[in-house]
Each structure stands twice: as C-alpha cells, then as structure tokens.
C-alpha cells in the first residue's frame, strides 16, 4: 500500500510544480485551498495594534505558510506576511528568530532575482527597510549589525543594477544615496552619550577618550565614501552632457550638504554657489531659487530630489519639521514612514524658536557638550513643551544642539535668519527626563 502511494505521488503532473515555481496559485486542492494570506495578515495587524505580539507572530507565521503552499517555496507572495512576522519578532525582542527570518527573506529575494529583476529590487528595498527598522531598536545591544547589513544590501543592489542595466543607469541614484545616508548614520553613532562617557586609563594614569582614534578614522572613511558617491551621482545625472542639467545641478547641492555635515564650511559655500550658478544658467529664476533655498533644512535630506518641482513639492510651510528616528542615531531624522518602529507610540514634541547664523560656532568650542559642525544656532527658545519641566527643556536644547541645518541661501550665499521655528518630535524609545523623574 505504501509503495502504491509513493508511485501515485511521483506520477503527479510536473505542471503543478512549474506553476508553484512561477509563483502562481496551485491548480490542485490543498488544506489551504480556500484560505489566503491576506485575511490572516489583517488579523495579525489587529493583534499587533492590541500589542498581542505572540498571537500576531503565530498568525503571520501561518500566513507565510499559506503563501508557500498556495504559490510555492520561492514565490514573492510570501514577502508581505514575512515582513510582518519579522516585526512581531522584533517587538518581542526575539533577536535570533528575527535574524533567521531576515536571512530567509534575503534567500527568497535572491531566488526572485533569477526570474524578475525589478521585483528583486522591490524586495531588496523592503528588506532594507526591515533592517533599518531593526537597527533603530534601542533595546537590542547588537542593533548596529543591522545597519551594516542594510548598507551591504544596498551595495549588492548597486552591483546587480550595474551588471543588468549598466554603470551609468539612473536606477543607481537612489541606491547610491542610500549608502551615503548609511555612512551618515554610522557617523551619528559617535554622538551617543554612552560613547561620550567612555574613558580608558593608561599605565601612567593619563586618561583619554578610548574611542577617539577609531572615531576619527571612521569619520574620514565615511566622509570620503559619501563624497565620492555624491560625485558619481552627479556624473550619472549629467548623462555625459557638456552643460549641467537640473538634476546634476541639484546633485551639487547635496555635495555641499555633505561637506557642511563634516565641517568643511568653505568647500560647502563654494558648492552652494556653484549649484545656484548652474541652475541659473539653465533658466531657473532667482526668485524661485531663493524661495526654495531660503528656508533651512535639517541635514541630511532623507530623499535626493532630482528636479526643482520635486524639491518645491517637499517644501512645507510653517515650522520646520523634525521627527527624530531613534536614540541609536542622535541627530538623525526618520528616513521614511516605512522604517519607523511600527509598535511604538510617538512621544511628545516641542516647538523651538531660534536664529540661524551663517558662521561657524567657534564660541561653543570651550564647553564639554557636543560641538555641532557647521553653522550655529542662537537665541534658542523652547516655545511649547508638554509637560513643562526644566529638565525636559534642557533635553530639548541638547537634542537641538545635535542637529545640522542647511543655511538659508540667497543667490547661493548664506544669510542670517531670525524668528525660525522647528517642531521637534522625540524619537520612540527616547528616555526623557520627565519619564525618569516620574
């Protein structure tokens, strides 16, 4: 009887297996025939909202299994449920299991690459967002590993695009900029308070900052890589033309931002002026440029804009908005809603008034606080804060000191701006003084 059953199984048509490999619904009956992963995902999201993460984990795991059975072991339909499964595991601090599922996601995406290149890129972006979300979790002592994995994943996407589309294809631009941002996040690690307090005693009892040499070398490496990638972005966007394009001129603006982030004010000012000159040379009106660049922006910009229309669409009225991402990366704003910690309630915010001066903050160099590179904030005043407390107000001022803003530019040159306002929204998992006091 057993041999007969085996023969029946082996004699099944291969078309079913082919359909499974192609990611189509299976034509034969199965225990999951009338069940689809979408309702399970919807149920799991409700369980996540109720913070029942253990139940959500089981629901999403079942949804992944349904997708496997209905579409195949290598089917992209697994990714939606798999993403939420990883979120549920991270919410429970099941780091090892989350790492296993992230590895499975990467394997699955590599399999998709063999069949659909652009779907592979979509999956790579989805996986990258998951890794960034994991790296933002301050409760994981090994969170920095996820940042490195996300950066390496972007490099793999860049290599795949170069091999498939060529080394000058515009598809490279956002991926190259992702690597630039990853290096900024690496640099922001040096601003963490735990590192600032680390000292090491020498045999002669002299004390020094134990991370200083490694920090300086890390800064130099990240600066050079970011600078070179931004130059490459400009070359790709110029498309070999002799005269600048709107996209390539804006790329110069991002080069200037990068120089400013690393304290190279003179180089930054030269590049800001060059970006303005190039845009003017191709017909951009000075009134438009002064309006677009006359409003400071927190750096680095999480999105690289390649058109003035796109830049204008992103220009918000009222107070400058800054949503902190995570205590792991001080001074870094949330890159996108997709990498926000989904299970975290956003803490309170503060409205801060200030003046932005077009001069380096030399006067601040004598104190023991972090010295923000570039242009200085003056007359910082906390206008709104709930609950109001002196300790929390001081925390707001400290967090403001970590920010770097693009100066207000008029005709490509920096100008002083008074009466500016910034809405600062604290990062999830940020330990605030009022929370400690209560």
């Amino acid at each position: 009887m057993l041999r007969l059953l085996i023969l029946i199984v082996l004699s099944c048509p291969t078309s079913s297996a082919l359909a499974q490999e192609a990611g189509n619904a299976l034509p034969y009956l199965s225990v999951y025939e009338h069940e689809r992963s979408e309702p399970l995902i919807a149920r799991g999201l409700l369980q996540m909202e109720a913070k029942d993460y253990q139940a959500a984990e089981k629901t999403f795991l079942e949804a992944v299994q349904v997708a496997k059975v209905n579409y195949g072991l290598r089917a992209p339909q697994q990714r939606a449920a798999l993403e939420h499964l990883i979120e549920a595991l991270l919410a429970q601090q099941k780091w090892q299991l989350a790492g296993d599922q992230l590895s499975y996601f990467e394997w699955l995406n590599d399999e998709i690459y063999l069949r659909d290149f652009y779907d592979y890129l979509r999956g790579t972006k989805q996986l990258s967002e998951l890794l960034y979300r994991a790296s933002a979790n301050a409760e994981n002592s090994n969170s920095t590993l996820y940042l490195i994995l996300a950066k390496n994943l972007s490099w793999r996407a860049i290599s795949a695009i170069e091999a498939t589309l060529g080394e000058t294809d515009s598809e490279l631009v956002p991926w190259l900029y992702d690597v630039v941002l990853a290096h900024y996040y690496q640099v922001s690690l040096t601003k963490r308070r735990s590192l600032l307090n680390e000292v090491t005693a020498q045999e002669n009892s002299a004390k020094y900052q134990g991370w200083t040499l490694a920090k300086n070398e890390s800064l130099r490496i990240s600066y050079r890589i970011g600078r070179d990638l931004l130059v490459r972005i400009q070359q790709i966007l110029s498309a070999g033309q002799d005269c600048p394009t709107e996209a390539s001129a804006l790329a110069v603006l991002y080069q200037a931002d990068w120089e400013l982030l690393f304290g190279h004010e003179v180089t930054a000012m030269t590049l800001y002026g060059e970006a303005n000159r190039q845009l003017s040379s191709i017909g951009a009106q000075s009134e438009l440029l002064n309006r677009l660049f006359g409003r400071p922006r927190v750096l680095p910009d999480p999105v690289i804009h390649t058109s003035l229309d796109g830049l204008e669409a992103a220009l918000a009225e009222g107070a400058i908005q800054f949503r902190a991402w995570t205590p792991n990366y001080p001074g870094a704003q949330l890159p996108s809603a997709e990498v926000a910690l989904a299970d975290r309630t956003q803490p309170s915010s503060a409205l801060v008034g200030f003046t932005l001066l077009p001069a380096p903050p030399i006067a601040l160099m004598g104190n023991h606080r972090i010295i923000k590179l570039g242009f200085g904030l003056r007359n910082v005043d906390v206008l709104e804060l709930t609950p109001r407390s002196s300790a929390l107000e001081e925390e707001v001022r400290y967090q403001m000191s970590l920010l770097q803003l693009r100066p207000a530019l008029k005709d490509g040159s920096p100008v002083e701006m008074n009466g500016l306002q910034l809405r600062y929204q604290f990062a999830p998992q940020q330990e605030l003084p009022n929370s400690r006091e209560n």
Side-chain angles (χ1 to χ4, degrees), residues 184 188 191 298-300 322 329-333 399 402-404 424:
Y184 171 75
S188 71
K191 300 178 183 178
V298 180
L299 300 179
F322 179 83
Y329 308 129
Q333 60 186 323
Q399 295 297 332
L402 303 179
L403 303 186
Q404 174 62 68
Y424 188 101

Side-chain angles (χ1 to χ4, degrees), residues 2 8 12 116 121 128 147 192 217 220 222 244 247 321 372:
L2 180 59
I8 292 173
C12 287
D116 188 332
L121 290 181
S128 176
L147 172 62
R192 290 167 68 170
E217 182 61 23
R220 284 193 292 268
S222 290
Q321 299 294 316
K372 174 175 52 59

